[in-house]
Amino acid sequence: MNLFSTDDHARYRAEGQWGELTLPEMFAATCARVPDRLGLVDAPNRAEIFEGAPRRLTYAQMRAEVDRYAAILQAQGIGPGALVATQLPNISEMILIYLAVSQIGAVLSPVSLAYRSAELHDLSQVAAFDAYISVGRFKGQDYFAERNDALPDSVQRLGIGDGLPAGVTRIDTAAPGKPPAPVALDADDIFAVFWTSGTEGVPKAVPKTHNNMMSSSLGAWRLLNLPDGTNILGPFPFVNAAAMGGLLMCWMRTAGALILHHPFDVAVFLEQLKSEEIGYTMVAPTILTYLRDQARDPDLHPALHRLMSIGTGSAPPDPEVFLFFEETFATPVVNFFGSNEGAQMCSSCERVPNPRHRASYFPRDGDENWDPALRTANGGTFRLVDPTTGDLITEPGGLGEMHLHGPALMPGYYSRQGIDRSKFTEDGYFPSGDLFQISDCGTLIRFHARSRELIVRGGMKIAPVELDNVLSALPGVREVAVAAYADPHMGEKVCLFAVMEPGRGLDLPTVTAFCDDAGLAKFKWPERLELFDALPRTPLAKLDRKALAGWLAQQGAQNA
């Protein structure tokens, strides 16, 4: 199935960005090449997160487990084209199930572990899930049971671990009756459907083919220059294209061990750095700063020396931290900017030698109006376009919205009705909503702002409109709106502005209890409440959310 134009299909194959290799075929080749090499390692706190002792699997053991899960899924009637939603923590079973779903030609749809019944219900309305796989219990609490009723009756329910509700088929302890049946796979078929936070409340579904994933990882892997057998520590949930492309796919290309971690626990993370032979990891900027502050620890010092590179992203990092790691450990910090839809900027030493610049700037590689021979980290190109006039931005200092094109770009948004390309331009570019500014030297670009109103809390994106809609049902409120306020640790947090009916009051504990009852993911809960007499409006009577954010920023400046 070809979801892309004939021209794009031919071009990306001619450039070597696309080919015939699928992810299951890449995994099978690695298992055949290095069967006895360590391939997958659970976090030492696995029993606290899920259950059971941590597992350490070789590639041969992984191969056998993936085949077992593939046969079990096939026995449940799951096959090519079936959409399989998963909500799984970073445990070895998650990786094995991902690979098994792909091996049988089904389509993976990883969902954030933080999402609760409200979000899962919304996702199931956008895309018709054929099956759902999750854990019975997570961190000692019922997990599957809370989400069970959010799924349509037509969804096949499969699970792992103890505590699964009645009617859910347990697959981690099942024995297949026969080996998995071979399935013909196509690199142009959809590998996974990822989920954005969207700008209108309900997340959008982003399909990615095997070739999309291959190209999204190829450039980053080359820029990181990780040798064969490199061990990778993955402290992010494997639910979006960034983590899957930047960590999982790099692991598949290096064929070392994937050391699992998440939910993030700094003590466990440090233990893994010290005890495992880690060559690469990716962390949030706040953790990068923490590692710098802990660098004098005699047990941690050798671990930091072993790191060949450290990746970061999702929030503005401290330039001095980049300089520190390069000067102290000769370990380059690589800055990433990406999106599910297909953006990928990578500031490597090769393209941005100055470590301080690398924290803020990305190479202009891929700008079709600068050097058409260059490509972004994932092999793509872009244009910078004035969002008001539509004019191309080409001069130093210019600011424009990034319009994307390339082999890692999604074919369109996914839904029950099919692939939706209505957000694309007539000539096939995707307006990303991200504003970038060309540097004064003209060779670099810097992320400026989001033209859409997403709140980013610790790397998790929150759609304000979604929260507005939910919180408008709070008792006694006349109108509500949320906006972001700055936080030194999380980047941004959510503030709720409420206009109350006469004689009614509201406090933050009431708001959080309401969010809990609504089944809303905790990272979305407001952590600050402001009561106003009226919400600011634009001349067209629309909510002026920028005015609310400006008020918060002013309050923060006054209190600094």
Side-chain angles (χ1 to χ4, degrees):
M1 178 174 62
N2 188 5
L3 301 175
F4 297 87
S5 71
T6 301
D7 288 345
D8 284 347
H9 196 266
R11 171 187 172 185
Y12 300 142
R13 273 174 159 70
E15 291 177 349
Q17 301 285 351
W18 286 359
E20 305 303 329
L21 187 67
T22 65
L23 271 68
E25 290 166 341
M26 175 188 282
F27 173 69
T30 300
C31 292
R33 179 170 67 88
V34 289
D36 298 325
R37 184 182 288 178
L38 184 66
L40 191 60
V41 178
D42 271 323
N45 62 337
R46 171 191 164 107
E48 299 170 24
I49 296 169
F50 176 55
E51 60 187 50
R55 305 172 73 186
R56 302 177 72 88
L57 302 177
T58 65
Y59 276 93
Q61 292 169 326
M62 288 176 63
R63 172 78 272 175
E65 279 288 270
V66 169
D67 282 347
R68 184 177 70 85
Y69 276 114
I72 292 168
L73 293 175
Q74 286 180 331
Q76 294 298 317
I78 300 171
L83 185 60
V84 181
T86 61
Q87 275 191 293
L88 297 167
N90 280 14
I91 54 177
S92 53
E93 286 85 347
M94 175 194 68
I95 300 297
L96 302 172
I97 289 170
Y98 281 12
L99 291 168
V101 168
S102 181
Q103 180 174 314
I104 63 175
V107 179
L108 177 71
S109 187
V111 176
S112 170
L113 202 65
Y115 279 0
R116 297 178 64 187
S117 55
E119 293 85 11
L120 188 59
H121 172 78
D122 287 342
L123 303 192
S124 68
Q125 300 307 301
V126 175
F129 297 136
D130 294 291
Y132 171 79
I133 305 174
S134 191
V135 291
R137 297 175 67 81
F138 174 64
K139 299 177 75 172
Q141 302 295 318
D142 285 341
Y143 189 86
F144 204 123
E146 184 187 317
R147 291 151 180 80
N148 203 14
D149 291 341
L151 296 164
D153 292 340
S154 59
V155 176
Q156 191 169 0
R157 289 154 167 81
L158 309 172
I160 63 174
D162 295 329
L164 294 168
V168 177
T169 301
R170 183 168 180 175
I171 61 173
D172 57 320
T173 56
K178 56 183 179 180
V183 175
L185 302 174
D186 191 319
D188 292 321
D189 284 345
I190 297 175
F191 161 73
V193 172
F194 301 109
W195 294 93
T196 74
S197 296
T199 58
E200 302 300 329
V202 178
K204 293 183 176 68
V206 177
K208 289 296 184 78
T209 67
H210 293 263
N211 270 325
N212 280 153
M213 298 302 297
M214 292 292 188
S215 59
S216 80
S217 66
L218 186 59
W221 173 66
R222 286 172 174 166
L223 289 170
L224 290 170
N225 196 29
L226 300 176
D228 182 67
T230 299
N231 293 341
I232 294 176
L233 174 57
F236 288 107
F238 291 98
V239 296
N240 59 22
M244 295 286 281
L247 288 170
L248 185 76
M249 288 297 299
C250 278
W251 163 66
M252 292 190 72
R253 290 189 180 279
T254 57
L258 179 61
I259 316 296
L260 294 170
H261 181 105
H262 198 268
F264 191 81
D265 183 308
V266 68
V268 174
F269 183 76
L270 292 179
E271 179 184 344
Q272 289 176 296
L273 281 177
K274 294 174 185 177
S275 62
E276 306 286 355
E277 294 290 325
I278 308 296
Y280 174 69
T281 189
M282 180 180 285
V283 296
T286 53
I287 302 303
L288 194 63
T289 302
Y290 179 83
L291 289 176
R292 178 198 61 184
D293 296 342
Q294 297 295 314
R296 293 184 179 179
D297 180 342
D299 294 327
L300 182 61
H301 205 267
L304 296 178
H305 265 297
R306 284 195 295 268
L307 287 170
M308 290 173 275
S309 187
I310 306 173
T312 192
S314 79
D318 182 354
E320 298 306 316
V321 177
F322 282 55
L323 182 65
F324 170 82
F325 277 99
E326 200 146 314
E327 289 186 339
T328 307
F329 298 104
T331 300
V333 180
V334 179
N335 196 12
F336 287 92
F337 178 95
S339 70
N340 277 320
E341 287 89 346
Q344 189 185 61
M345 307 291 128
C346 178
S347 287
S348 65
C349 294
E350 177 187 352
R351 300 302 299 144
V352 188
N354 186 316
R356 288 193 177 98
H357 288 171
R358 209 179 307 134
S360 305
Y361 291 94
F362 299 92
R364 199 177 167 185
D365 301 0
D367 187 342
E368 297 173 349
N369 295 288
W370 178 55
D371 187 337
L374 296 177
R375 295 290 183 268
T376 62
N378 59 6
T381 61
F382 65 88
R383 299 169 179 170
L384 294 180
V385 179
D386 188 305
T388 302
T389 66
D391 295 337
L392 292 175
I393 304 299
T394 61
E395 298 300 322
L399 180 69
E401 180 184 14
M402 182 173 284
H403 286 207
L404 301 167
H405 195 267
L409 182 63
M410 65 173 183
Y413 288 115
Y414 181 98
S415 73
R416 292 169 180 257
Q417 290 72 42
I419 302 297
D420 177 12
R421 290 185 59 85
S422 62
K423 300 296 184 183
F424 284 67
T425 63
E426 290 184 2
D427 54 353
Y429 286 74
F430 177 74
S432 67
D434 299 312
L435 300 175
F436 281 82
Q437 187 171 34
I438 302 173
S439 66
D440 291 339
C441 68
T443 64
L444 305 171
I445 56 174
R446 178 171 59 183
F447 176 67
H448 177 76
R450 296 179 301 277
S451 61
R452 300 160 186 169
E453 296 177 326
L454 291 179
I455 300 170
V456 183
R457 184 190 186 280
M460 299 294 288
K461 296 181 179 180
I462 304 166
V465 173
E466 176 192 18
L467 286 186
D468 290 351
N469 292 336
V470 173
L471 297 172
S472 64
L474 278 162
V477 301
R478 178 171 291 172
E479 58 178 345
V480 299
V482 299
Y485 66 96
D487 179 82
H489 302 292
M490 304 306 294
E492 292 178 338
K493 289 184 177 180
V494 178
C495 176
L496 169 64
F497 293 87
V499 178
M500 304 303 297
E501 296 174 353
R504 301 296 296 269
L506 187 66
D507 57 27
L508 195 57
T510 301
V511 174
T512 56
F514 178 88
C515 293
D516 194 16
D517 290 340
L520 203 64
K522 195 169 183 178
F523 70 86
K524 298 179 182 179
W525 295 5
E527 295 173 75
R528 178 173 174 178
L529 171 66
E530 299 289 345
L531 300 181
F532 276 21
D533 292 331
L535 297 181
R537 299 284 172 179
T538 69
L540 297 177
K542 293 183 178 181
L543 172 70
D544 191 348
R545 204 182 304 272
K546 289 184 179 179
L548 295 175
W551 184 88
L552 288 167
Q554 185 178 17
Q555 294 293 308
Q558 291 175 355
N559 296 329

